[in-house]
Amino acid sequence: MPVITYRDALGQALREEMQRDDRVFLMGEEVGVYNGAYKVSKGLLQEFGEMRVVDTPITELGFAGVGVGAAMVGLRPVIEFMTWNFALLAIDQVVNAAAKMLYMSGGQYNVPIVFRGPNGAALQLSAQHSQAWESWLAYIPGLKVVTPGTPYDAKGLLKAAIRDDNPVCFLEGEMLYNTKGEVPEEEYVIPLGKAELKREGDHATIVTNGKMVLVAMQAADQLAKEGIRIDVVDLRTVRPMDVDAIRASVTKTNRCVVLEEGWEYCGIGAQVVDYVQRDCFDQLDAPVIRVHQADVPMPYAKTLEKSAKPDLAKAIAAVKKVMYID
């Protein structure tokens, strides 16, 4: 199986879906001539032309709204935000238009649109460019929220998102674009709302998503050297959330750690813990522990930034705590 980058996996998904369906088009800042801020759309302008790869001014609210209108009349737009932090300027179109249109129109208007772009912290981009947005968006009925953590998942989930008849927020880990993984050459699509068991064990469960999948896998590898076997459940889609996958793993291991990139307060992990305590309470041998970003705006200083982020050491410590290992 070919090994390609997360960036190229996303590019393949866009190209294949644009070839398959001429209603699909890409729009956003620098997606055309510049090949995308993170080079995801490399070569698409040359292949599909300016009508289907549309460079825009720096007007997130404007081009998000154009995308919603296009989706309402039968096209399938993919709207790229240079970063989800900038999407705050377009949140009215995402939340008040795209998410609610099907309901408010009495089922007359589907909005098959994908809002996509980099999410979460990178390296020293400071507070306004480092926020993990999945919990903000997952709060909204009418939106689907997808957070792929590997190149394989990135391609299969983006293809599914483009084909979906509902608005999908597709959050790409900003530090994942250069990561590599196996991606098959043949056609495949990963259903939205289905988690994957990335690693199998029986001592404890780590529930995670997005960029933190890599950290969870590293933790599982390191803990395996100490004889501790970990289930790693990658949610992949956080709305809808695959509660059955969480329940199956926690029922088996009886211990759960939630590893998330965002803040603790009202985060995705809080939703996971709610499911676990309601559905798996009698199976738990220890309280659920969450590993998350510190409750501060992301610092710029390198040492402070490192301290604020969830990381491998914090994940391992949490697993050992739920196993009552000093």
Side-chain angles (χ1 to χ4, degrees):
M1 201 180 300
V3 175
I4 64 174
T5 64
Y6 187 97
R7 169 189 293 108
D8 289 340
L10 292 166
Q12 284 186 8
L14 285 169
R15 175 171 282 103
E16 289 176 13
E17 291 306 298
M18 292 176 76
Q19 290 171 343
R20 186 187 64 83
D21 186 344
D22 61 11
R23 297 173 299 170
V24 178
F25 71 96
L26 176 66
M27 181 165 56
E29 298 155 359
E30 300 183 344
V31 298
V33 175
Y34 192 67
N35 291 312
Y38 291 86
K39 306 307 178 190
V40 169
S41 54
K42 184 177 180 180
L44 296 184
L45 175 63
Q46 290 75 19
E47 183 171 349
F48 297 102
E50 294 180 352
M51 292 295 290
R52 297 185 64 197
V53 182
V54 185
D55 278 322
T56 69
I58 303 174
T59 53
E60 283 82 4
L61 176 65
F63 63 76
V66 170
V68 173
M72 289 174 64
V73 296
L75 300 179
R76 306 189 80 87
V78 179
I79 303 301
E80 178 176 315
F81 295 124
M82 193 179 294
T83 162
W84 271 97
N85 296 277
F86 298 165
L88 185 59
L89 296 164
I91 205 69
D92 179 62
Q93 292 295 337
V94 176
V95 170
N96 281 330
K100 296 178 174 63
M101 191 58 66
L102 180 65
Y103 176 78
M104 294 183 69
S105 69
Q108 295 180 79
Y109 289 103
N110 291 98
V111 186
I113 188 170
V114 177
F115 300 103
R116 51 158 293 270
N119 175 63
L123 297 174
Q124 289 188 278
L125 294 184
S126 196
Q128 294 178 337
H129 293 71
S130 301
Q131 297 167 107
W133 274 77
E134 50 265 46
S135 62
W136 295 51
L137 297 163
Y139 179 70
I140 306 299
L143 296 178
K144 296 184 178 183
V145 183
V146 182
T147 58
T150 67
Y152 178 87
D153 290 342
K155 181 176 180 179
L157 289 168
L158 183 53
K159 289 171 72 71
I162 292 170
R163 298 182 190 189
D164 201 285
D165 286 333
N166 302 283
V168 179
C169 296
F170 198 90
L171 284 67
E172 302 154 14
E174 189 150 355
M175 292 293 288
L176 294 179
Y177 286 113
N178 288 327
T179 59
K180 294 183 177 180
E182 292 185 337
V183 176
E185 293 178 331
E186 62 270 16
E187 168 83 2
Y188 72 98
V189 176
I190 298 173
L192 303 185
K194 296 294 292 182
E196 183 181 36
L197 188 62
K198 288 283 198 291
R199 181 75 173 260
E200 190 163 2
D202 52 10
H203 288 140
T205 296
I206 297 178
V207 180
T208 190
N209 68 287
K211 184 168 66 180
M212 290 295 103
V213 172
L214 292 180
V215 177
M217 295 297 287
Q218 291 167 0
D221 288 341
Q222 189 158 321
L223 287 163
K225 297 175 183 177
E226 303 177 40
I228 300 170
R229 299 180 297 276
I230 302 300
D231 255 14
V232 175
V233 178
D234 177 5
L235 294 173
R236 300 199 293 195
T237 301
V238 296
R239 186 179 181 114
M241 189 176 288
D242 190 348
V243 187
D244 292 338
I246 297 170
R247 183 191 304 111
S249 179
V250 175
T251 299
K252 176 178 66 172
T253 67
N254 311 119
R255 295 173 173 86
C256 183
V257 170
V258 185
L259 175 59
E260 58 193 309
E261 186 177 2
W263 291 302
E264 176 185 22
Y265 200 79
C266 300
I268 293 297
Q271 189 65 49
V272 175
V273 173
D274 179 62
Y275 285 140
V276 171
Q277 64 87 19
R278 280 191 286 121
D279 291 358
C280 312
F281 182 81
D282 290 337
Q283 285 74 46
L284 287 174
D285 289 340
V288 181
I289 293 179
R290 291 171 63 194
V291 180
H292 47 77
Q293 184 188 318
D295 190 24
V296 296
M298 184 64 73
Y300 175 75
K302 187 180 295 185
T303 52
L304 294 176
E305 180 187 56
K306 185 177 186 301
S307 178
K309 291 179 178 179
D311 60 18
L312 176 62
K314 295 171 186 174
I316 289 173
V319 171
K320 290 184 175 181
K321 188 170 182 179
V322 297
M323 294 185 65
Y324 301 108
I325 298 173
D326 294 329

